[in-house]
Amino acid sequence: MLVRDVCIVGGAAVGLSIAHFLKRDLKFDGTVTVVEKDPAYTRAATTLSAASIRQQFSTPENVRLSLFGRDFFRSLKDRFGADADIGFTEGGYLVLAGEDGRQILRENHAVQEAEGADIALDAPHDLLKRFPWLNLDGIAAGAWGRSGEGWFDAHLLLSLLKTACREDGVEILTDRVVSLARDGARITHAGLASGETIACGLLVNAAGPSAGDVAALVARPLPVEPRKRSVFTFRCKSEVPGLPLMVDTSGVYVRPEGTTFICGVSPAADADGRADDDDFDPDWPLFEETIWPALAHRVPAFEEIRPGPAWAGHYDYNTLDQNAIVGADTEIANLIYANGFSGHGLQQAPGVGRAVAELIALGRYESLDLSIFGYDRVPASRPVFEKVVI
């Protein structure tokens, strides 16, 4: 039996960030073990995402988390060394709205500005000056991130975090948690698929799309399940200079990726149920019937494209309100959640890592107060809705 002070279930961006801040920044002197079932991250939400960051949210705490992530990405060399680089490209987000969404965009922009995000709110004629390739049909306004928003390499970020964790004494196990033993108000042991057992002083659920299943091991309700999202690539015959990550009024997004482009969209609600554990097949009809027509309409240059490879991943969808669930359980004293990011987990990982590390080491939030995302809203069925979900 292994005896550990902290056991973190899930070793992708969120789990590694928690361990990293706990050991390096807060100098936690206890033992920390991270359990990760997919060490190559071949099916991880972190690596199968669009790997982007934005401050364009409607909830102030989400904006703050993203600003923390922005600053973290900008200061990688100070933290990890002169060679640290994740290819962070501050190409911006462009969120478009029709007449029915203009007021919401204005309200969201006010929140973002109040938090210090560098976002411009443009009328159609200003959008056309910035982006002359844009078709303004049905567009009433657009919000554009002048700085701090963009995309990066998720694999490189994971590599930096994993290396730093190991240097700081974090144990990273390739295994899977299959059982949790509870004695009253405490979890006492985590059973692994290998047959090993970890006796832990505190357990952190950072299991991504599997988080709901992990919580169910101790009969705790957690409204988090895997949802499939497909990402498609294509080449374009013509150049589209200065293209940011653009989110069309249809919900379709597109961004540059080197000399190619990547794109996607959430499925229709009636086709967006829990993903099968082994379903990682891209939904090509979604590209052909929804994404490409929307892109060709919004950017005429995209009428002539050549589709390339595609992939699909699962993300941890919070069915209550599509917002993070972060903090201690209301009944189990030594269980902390860091789940349900609904597509925002990679960009929010540094901020959540710092916040959860503070909860563990200090017993309170100091850098970022994430109380609004506490687990207590789950049994109370008290949602905190985020208006900008992509």
Side-chain angles (χ1 to χ4, degrees):
M1 178 186 296
L2 304 175
V3 180
R4 300 291 184 267
D5 292 303
V6 177
C7 177
I8 300 173
V9 185
V14 173
L16 289 176
S17 293
I18 294 168
H20 171 66
F21 280 101
L22 190 59
K23 296 297 285 187
R24 182 158 298 188
D25 291 54
L26 298 174
K27 310 302 181 186
F28 181 72
D29 61 3
T31 51
V32 178
T33 291
V34 174
V35 181
E36 172 54 44
K37 64 183 179 181
D38 180 18
Y41 304 111
T42 55
R43 291 188 167 186
T46 293
T47 53
L48 296 175
S49 70
S52 306
I53 182 170
R54 60 185 164 100
Q55 287 87 56
Q56 294 192 53
F57 290 95
S58 65
T59 309
E61 288 79 3
N62 278 332
V63 181
R64 292 169 201 161
L65 277 169
S66 187
L67 288 170
F68 187 99
R70 176 204 65 185
D71 294 342
F72 182 85
F73 292 164
R74 286 175 172 174
S75 61
L76 291 175
K77 295 185 187 303
D78 296 333
R79 176 173 289 272
F80 298 111
D83 295 332
D85 184 16
I86 60 171
F88 181 31
T89 302
E90 297 191 38
Y93 267 65
L94 173 61
V95 179
L96 300 172
E99 192 62 46
D100 57 346
R102 178 163 54 180
Q103 184 57 34
I104 293 175
L105 203 65
R106 284 175 176 166
E107 293 169 0
N108 295 345
H109 181 254
V111 171
Q112 296 150 17
E113 270 203 323
E115 295 298 331
D118 186 19
I119 312 296
L121 182 63
D122 285 347
H125 65 277
D126 293 317
L127 289 172
L128 200 57
K129 290 178 183 177
R130 294 188 197 273
F131 311 111
W133 36 259
L134 189 65
N135 175 12
L136 293 175
D137 182 37
I139 299 300
W144 174 58
R146 289 174 291 213
S147 65
E149 299 188 319
W151 46 91
F152 55 94
D153 189 314
H155 290 273
L156 292 177
L157 177 62
L158 286 175
S159 179
L160 288 174
L161 287 169
K162 183 177 281 190
T163 298
C165 282
R166 285 179 169 149
E167 290 173 351
D168 294 335
V170 176
E171 178 186 38
I172 302 176
L173 295 180
T174 299
D175 217 321
R176 181 168 57 91
V177 173
V178 295
S179 65
L180 294 173
R182 176 181 173 181
D183 182 8
R186 297 188 65 82
I187 290 174
T188 57
H189 302 82
L192 307 183
S194 63
E196 185 63 86
T197 300
I198 301 176
C200 52
L202 185 145
L203 187 131
V204 180
N205 184 347
S210 302
D213 297 334
V214 171
L217 295 175
V218 279
R220 299 303 291 147
L222 186 68
V224 177
E225 65 184 29
R227 296 283 180 94
K228 187 171 79 168
R229 293 293 181 267
S230 299
V231 181
F232 304 92
T233 70
F234 65 89
R235 292 183 179 275
C236 182
K237 184 177 180 180
S238 304
E239 291 188 6
V240 185
L243 176 73
L245 192 156
M246 184 184 71
V247 185
D248 186 40
T249 55
S250 62
V252 171
Y253 74 84
V254 62
R255 74 162 174 85
E257 177 66 21
T259 59
T260 65
F261 301 87
I262 71 172
C263 59
V265 71
S266 296
D270 59 1
D272 192 23
R274 177 177 176 134
D276 294 336
D277 290 344
D278 294 321
D279 182 7
F280 287 84
D281 296 325
D283 185 0
W284 279 104
L286 195 62
F287 176 79
E288 295 159 358
E289 299 167 11
T290 302
I291 296 173
W292 188 8
L295 291 180
H297 173 71
R298 189 58 61 207
V299 182
F302 287 156
E303 292 176 1
E304 296 184 88
I305 66 170
R306 184 174 66 190
W311 67 88
H314 297 169
Y315 74 37
D316 46 333
Y317 188 91
N318 178 358
T319 61
L320 176 66
D321 57 17
Q322 298 184 64
N323 251 325
I325 299 171
V326 180
D329 187 89
T330 52
E331 291 185 6
I332 302 178
N334 65 336
L335 172 60
I336 290 179
Y337 300 98
N339 309 116
F341 299 97
S342 302
H344 313 145
L346 178 53
Q347 62 183 292
Q348 294 185 338
V352 169
R354 175 73 196 202
V356 172
E358 289 174 353
L359 274 187
I360 296 169
L362 308 175
R364 63 187 182 278
Y365 293 126
E366 285 195 347
S367 303
L368 291 161
D369 186 351
L370 303 186
S371 302
I372 191 174
F373 300 135
Y375 177 81
D376 58 328
R377 78 184 195 277
V378 173
S381 296
R382 188 181 67 251
V384 176
F385 289 112
E386 169 59 52
K387 298 175 184 177
V388 191
V389 178
I390 300 170

